[in-house]
Amino acid sequence: MSLYTSMNTAVSGMNAQSRALGHISDNIANSQTVGFKRTDTNFVSYITESNLDVHRPGTVLARPDFTNQVQGTLEQVENPLSLAISGQGFFPVSLPSSTNIDGTKNFDLRSFYTRAGDFNRDRAGYLVNGSGYVAQGWPVTNGIVDTSQLVPIRVLEDVFSPVPTGDLAFSGNLPAGGTTAQSTSIQVIDSLGRARSLNLTFTPSAAPNDNTWTLSIDAPQAVPPALGSINMLFSPDGASVHPDGTLEEFGTPTGTFTGSAGGAGVPATVTFEADFGQGLQTMVLNLGSFGTTAGLTQFSSNGSAGLGINSFEQDGIPLGAFSSVTTQSNGDVRVNYDNGQARVVARIPVAVFRDADKLEHVDGQAFVRTAESGEARIVQAGEDGAGAFSARAVERSNVDIASEFSKLILAQRAYSANTRIVSTVDELLQETLNMRR
């Protein structure tokens, strides 16, 4: 009887609108949830019978219509570890299942993905988002990214090992015709990361206008303090082919000194050794190039001090303590130290799917793959169809409150209309029963 089918259709309409209300309720409740993707409603009609002569009412179902690929608004935040994806893709993450005594975590064997990039370090050093998922990344060792494996990212508060000084570069000018020794002090780093002083003394030849200086270096904290000396001859020397005032060649060295051979454009370097208590430390002092004005020169000086120092550099690095952790726009997780150095320990990639809307939703704004979504492709951010990272940013929910309230009004009216159908059919059935009286 068509009255019963009409009632069944109205009841299915009530059920469908109830589901739609559930979707709307979930969307509104998560309108401020980082990385949340709203669920729209797709109504599907099922027909009992329909042809040119008759059409019988069927039912309606409300199916979820996921918007996993719809971009949410990016918002800048102060958290230096936060990341947001602009475009397609997800963060690969792991779900901790238990914690060991030493602070390490055991993880669920399944692979999870999320758009919630509000990462922070937990007490054990893991990068976790607000829902407790740990970011996965490619490990980086000595600047080399290992893309063959994904591991949970853990940043320990270790130290930056010191690097002893090996190369020094000195640039300056000695006064032409000078008769007074010139000296300066520079700092180098020993093998234990301690700063050590080197005293450089430039002594002119006793003969006037000889254009010869003697470089001697002593280290007060070394054994022995005197490291050696070497003569330096500047142009012109009567047979010089180099421009006047430039370094011509090195003379006879003493102590641990060794000078490089002269030649136009050849680096003018002096190699020497110092023992600061941990064995001999070899250092190379670069004074520019022979025959050029880059490095050490001998020109007329207007200053009262005589020796003009342009620059000094050395490659030693002192011991560094852990300072902070930041994420970069290419996904690098960089550890910063208080000695001004930084080290990249991991790189966060992006997971891309063939059809991301077919991913299965799980707790905490996370997803797992399905047969319909396809396997995850783990790629570098900004490459092969993956979205780009925005550092110090998070992606807000893609829920539009105004739109949800509009859908709420329509769902409420549609539900009420279906209840009227049920009431009307009930009255008609009552009238049918009353026919026997």
Side-chain angles (χ1 to χ4, degrees):
M1 185 177 181
S2 61
L3 287 179
Y4 288 112
T5 56
S6 298
M7 179 174 287
N8 289 334
T9 300
V11 170
S12 72
M14 294 168 61
N15 289 331
Q17 296 302 328
S18 295
R19 289 192 176 184
L21 285 169
H23 298 162
I24 295 169
S25 175
D26 192 34
N27 293 341
I28 293 177
N30 288 281
S31 60
Q32 299 301 311
T33 302
V34 173
F36 180 81
K37 299 298 181 181
R38 74 173 188 272
T39 302
D40 293 335
T41 306
N42 183 19
F43 294 97
V44 182
S45 173
Y46 288 87
I47 302 300
T48 302
E49 181 182 5
S50 182
N51 52 49
L52 295 177
D53 298 321
V54 64
H55 177 85
R56 301 186 188 279
T59 59
V60 61
L61 291 180
R63 290 181 174 174
D65 187 9
F66 299 113
T67 62
N68 302 339
Q69 302 185 74
V70 177
Q71 180 78 49
T73 302
L74 300 189
E75 178 181 324
Q76 293 298 128
V77 295
E78 295 182 0
N79 179 13
L81 291 176
S82 289
L83 280 177
I85 300 175
S86 177
Q88 300 301 308
F90 299 81
F91 298 106
V93 292
S94 296
L95 179 62
S97 57
S98 61
T99 302
N100 301 316
I101 297 177
D102 60 356
T104 59
K105 298 181 184 295
N106 300 313
F107 296 92
D108 192 309
L109 296 179
R110 293 176 295 172
S111 297
F112 296 88
Y113 310 93
T114 185
R115 295 279 290 199
D118 52 337
F119 298 114
N120 270 300
R121 287 180 69 245
D122 67 4
R123 290 187 301 175
Y126 288 96
L127 258 62
V128 300
N129 67 8
S131 299
Y133 288 90
V134 176
Q136 287 189 321
W138 294 321
V140 178
T141 304
N142 297 326
I144 299 176
V145 182
D146 181 6
T147 59
S148 65
Q149 58 176 325
L150 273 179
V151 296
I153 299 176
R154 187 185 187 193
V155 179
L156 300 177
E157 296 187 5
D158 56 0
V159 298
F160 192 97
S161 299
V163 177
T165 299
D167 292 311
L168 306 91
F170 183 87
S171 174
N173 181 69
L174 292 168
T179 59
T180 305
Q182 309 291 323
S183 63
T184 185
S185 180
I186 59 177
Q187 295 273 317
V188 296
I189 305 299
D190 69 10
S191 59
L192 296 181
R194 295 173 297 190
R196 302 293 192 173
S197 297
L198 294 183
N199 297 322
L200 278 62
T201 302
F202 301 90
T203 305
S205 170
N209 302 317
D210 187 33
N211 300 314
T212 300
W213 293 75
T214 300
L215 167 64
S216 59
I217 301 179
D218 68 273
Q221 297 163 308
V223 180
L227 306 182
S229 64
I230 193 169
N231 292 333
M232 302 181 299
L233 181 63
F234 290 86
S235 299
D237 63 350
S240 173
V241 295
H242 295 161
D244 291 353
T246 62
L247 195 59
E248 178 77 17
E249 61 182 356
F250 290 121
T252 304
T254 66
T256 65
F257 276 40
T258 301
S260 59
V266 176
T269 60
V270 177
T271 303
F272 61 97
E273 295 177 337
D275 185 355
F276 295 110
Q278 295 80 46
L280 291 176
Q281 179 175 333
T282 301
M283 290 173 274
V284 178
L285 175 62
N286 189 320
L287 298 175
S289 299
F290 292 109
T292 69
T293 57
L296 188 63
T297 58
Q298 180 196 242
F299 294 112
S300 175
S301 174
N302 295 324
S304 59
L307 173 63
I309 301 176
N310 297 329
S311 66
F312 166 72
E313 297 178 359
Q314 60 90 30
D315 63 354
I317 301 174
L319 178 70
F322 176 88
S323 177
S324 63
V325 184
T326 58
T327 53
Q328 309 299 303
S329 58
N330 65 345
D332 282 351
V333 179
R334 188 174 70 178
V335 181
N336 304 303
Y337 299 88
D338 63 1
N339 61 354
Q341 301 300 308
R343 177 187 294 131
V344 175
V345 296
R347 177 172 294 175
I348 300 175
V350 176
V352 182
F353 295 87
R354 182 181 68 247
D355 188 355
D357 285 340
K358 296 300 190 299
L359 291 169
E360 179 183 343
H361 289 234
V362 294
D363 293 340
Q365 307 98 267
F367 306 87
V368 294
R369 66 165 296 277
T370 63
E372 293 77 14
S373 69
E375 293 290 345
R377 290 189 298 111
I378 307 300
V379 298
Q380 171 77 31
E383 298 179 1
D384 299 327
F389 284 143
S390 293
R392 290 178 176 264
V394 294
E395 180 185 6
R396 291 298 178 185
S397 168
N398 64 357
V399 174
D400 182 351
I401 293 292
S403 176
E404 296 302 317
F405 273 111
S406 298
K407 291 186 287 185
L408 177 62
I409 294 172
L410 293 175
Q412 180 184 7
R413 296 303 184 191
Y415 186 93
S416 298
N418 279 286
T419 61
R420 295 300 299 272
I421 294 293
V422 173
S423 300
T424 301
V425 171
D426 177 60
E427 292 176 2
L428 293 177
L429 288 174
Q430 186 62 42
E431 291 297 325
T432 301
L433 293 174
N434 290 337
M435 289 176 61
R436 62 186 294 271
R437 296 178 181 176

